[in-house]
PDB file of all heavy atoms in Angstrom:
ATOM      1  N   PRO A  90      57.753  16.516 -27.022  1.00 86.00           N
ATOM      2  CA  PRO A  90      57.058  15.333 -27.570  1.00 86.00           C
ATOM      3  C   PRO A  90      55.549  15.502 -27.411  1.00 86.00           C
ATOM      4  O   PRO A  90      55.036  15.617 -26.295  1.00 86.00           O
ATOM      5  CB  PRO A  90      57.596  14.190 -26.709  1.00 86.00           C
ATOM      6  CG  PRO A  90      58.924  14.677 -26.209  1.00 86.00           C
ATOM      7  CD  PRO A  90      58.762  16.149 -26.000  1.00 86.00           C
ATOM      8  N   ALA A  91      54.846  15.520 -28.539  1.00 89.00           N
ATOM      9  CA  ALA A  91      53.422  15.852 -28.513  1.00 89.00           C
ATOM     10  C   ALA A  91      52.609  14.885 -27.657  1.00 89.00           C
ATOM     11  O   ALA A  91      51.742  15.306 -26.878  1.00 89.00           O
ATOM     12  CB  ALA A  91      52.879  15.881 -29.939  1.00 89.00           C
ATOM     13  N   GLY A  92      52.869  13.585 -27.788  1.00 89.00           N
ATOM     14  CA  GLY A  92      52.099  12.603 -27.035  1.00 89.00           C
ATOM     15  C   GLY A  92      52.256  12.765 -25.537  1.00 89.00           C
ATOM     16  O   GLY A  92      51.268  12.712 -24.783  1.00 89.00           O
ATOM     17  N   GLU A  93      53.487  12.974 -25.085  1.00 90.00           N
ATOM     18  CA  GLU A  93      53.739  13.146 -23.650  1.00 90.00           C
ATOM     19  C   GLU A  93      53.071  14.422 -23.142  1.00 90.00           C
ATOM     20  O   GLU A  93      52.514  14.443 -22.033  1.00 90.00           O
ATOM     21  CB  GLU A  93      55.249  13.204 -23.395  1.00 90.00           C
ATOM     22  CG  GLU A  93      55.975  11.899 -23.682  1.00 90.00           C
ATOM     23  CD  GLU A  93      57.468  12.032 -23.459  1.00 90.00           C
ATOM     24  OE1 GLU A  93      57.890  13.020 -22.803  1.00 90.00           O
ATOM     25  OE2 GLU A  93      58.222  11.164 -23.945  1.00 90.00           O
ATOM     26  N   TRP A  94      53.125  15.477 -23.950  1.00 92.00           N
ATOM     27  CA  TRP A  94      52.537  16.753 -23.527  1.00 92.00           C
ATOM     28  C   TRP A  94      51.019  16.620 -23.379  1.00 92.00           C
ATOM     29  O   TRP A  94      50.433  17.091 -22.399  1.00 92.00           O
ATOM     30  CB  TRP A  94      52.880  17.855 -24.528  1.00 92.00           C
ATOM     31  CG  TRP A  94      52.431  19.215 -24.085  1.00 92.00           C
ATOM     32  CD1 TRP A  94      53.134  20.109 -23.342  1.00 92.00           C
ATOM     33  CD2 TRP A  94      51.147  19.818 -24.341  1.00 92.00           C
ATOM     34  NE1 TRP A  94      52.378  21.236 -23.111  1.00 92.00           N
ATOM     35  CE2 TRP A  94      51.147  21.084 -23.713  1.00 92.00           C
ATOM     36  CE3 TRP A  94      50.003  19.421 -25.027  1.00 92.00           C
ATOM     37  CZ2 TRP A  94      50.059  21.945 -23.759  1.00 92.00           C
ATOM     38  CZ3 TRP A  94      48.918  20.275 -25.076  1.00 92.00           C
ATOM     39  CH2 TRP A  94      48.950  21.518 -24.444  1.00 92.00           C
ATOM     40  N   VAL A  95      50.376  15.987 -24.344  1.00 92.00           N
ATOM     41  CA  VAL A  95      48.916  15.820 -24.296  1.00 92.00           C
ATOM     42  C   VAL A  95      48.518  14.981 -23.077  1.00 92.00           C
ATOM     43  O   VAL A  95      47.566  15.320 -22.362  1.00 92.00           O
ATOM     44  CB  VAL A  95      48.406  15.157 -25.593  1.00 92.00           C
ATOM     45  CG1 VAL A  95      46.955  14.707 -25.439  1.00 92.00           C
ATOM     46  CG2 VAL A  95      48.523  16.138 -26.759  1.00 92.00           C
ATOM     47  N   GLU A  96      49.234  13.909 -22.836  1.00 90.00           N
ATOM     48  CA  GLU A  96      48.902  13.042 -21.704  1.00 90.00           C
ATOM     49  C   GLU A  96      49.075  13.770 -20.368  1.00 90.00           C
ATOM     50  O   GLU A  96      48.227  13.663 -19.474  1.00 90.00           O
ATOM     51  CB  GLU A  96      49.793  11.795 -21.731  1.00 90.00           C
ATOM     52  CG  GLU A  96      49.459  10.788 -20.635  1.00 90.00           C
ATOM     53  CD  GLU A  96      50.318   9.543 -20.708  1.00 90.00           C
ATOM     54  OE1 GLU A  96      51.129   9.427 -21.644  1.00 90.00           O
ATOM     55  OE2 GLU A  96      50.178   8.681 -19.818  1.00 90.00           O
ATOM     56  N   SER A  97      50.153  14.534 -20.241  1.00 92.00           N
ATOM     57  CA  SER A  97      50.424  15.209 -18.966  1.00 92.00           C
ATOM     58  C   SER A  97      49.452  16.352 -18.693  1.00 92.00           C
ATOM     59  O   SER A  97      49.271  16.756 -17.544  1.00 92.00           O
ATOM     60  CB  SER A  97      51.865  15.743 -18.947  1.00 92.00           C
ATOM     61  OG  SER A  97      52.038  16.755 -19.933  1.00 92.00           O
ATOM     62  N   ASN A  98      48.808  16.872 -19.738  1.00 93.00           N
ATOM     63  CA  ASN A  98      47.882  17.995 -19.542  1.00 93.00           C
ATOM     64  C   ASN A  98      46.419  17.565 -19.477  1.00 93.00           C
ATOM     65  O   ASN A  98      45.533  18.415 -19.406  1.00 93.00           O
ATOM     66  CB  ASN A  98      48.077  19.034 -20.646  1.00 93.00           C
ATOM     67  CG  ASN A  98      49.280  19.923 -20.404  1.00 93.00           C
ATOM     68  OD1 ASN A  98      49.214  20.907 -19.678  1.00 93.00           O
ATOM     69  ND2 ASN A  98      50.406  19.561 -21.010  1.00 93.00           N
ATOM     70  N   ARG A  99      46.167  16.250 -19.520  1.00 94.00           N
ATOM     71  CA  ARG A  99      44.816  15.702 -19.295  1.00 94.00           C
ATOM     72  C   ARG A  99      43.748  16.433 -20.116  1.00 94.00           C
ATOM     73  O   ARG A  99      42.767  16.933 -19.604  1.00 94.00           O
ATOM     74  CB  ARG A  99      44.470  15.769 -17.811  1.00 94.00           C
ATOM     75  CG  ARG A  99      45.404  14.959 -16.923  1.00 94.00           C
ATOM     76  CD  ARG A  99      45.093  15.085 -15.449  1.00 94.00           C
ATOM     77  NE  ARG A  99      45.382  16.424 -14.942  1.00 94.00           N
ATOM     78  CZ  ARG A  99      44.468  17.321 -14.648  1.00 94.00           C
ATOM     79  NH1 ARG A  99      43.183  17.045 -14.810  1.00 94.00           N
ATOM     80  NH2 ARG A  99      44.806  18.518 -14.194  1.00 94.00           N
TER      81      ARG A  99
END
Side-chain angles (χ1 to χ4, degrees):
E93 293 178 16
W94 186 90
V95 168
E96 184 178 357
S97 65
N98 281 277
R99 299 177 292 106

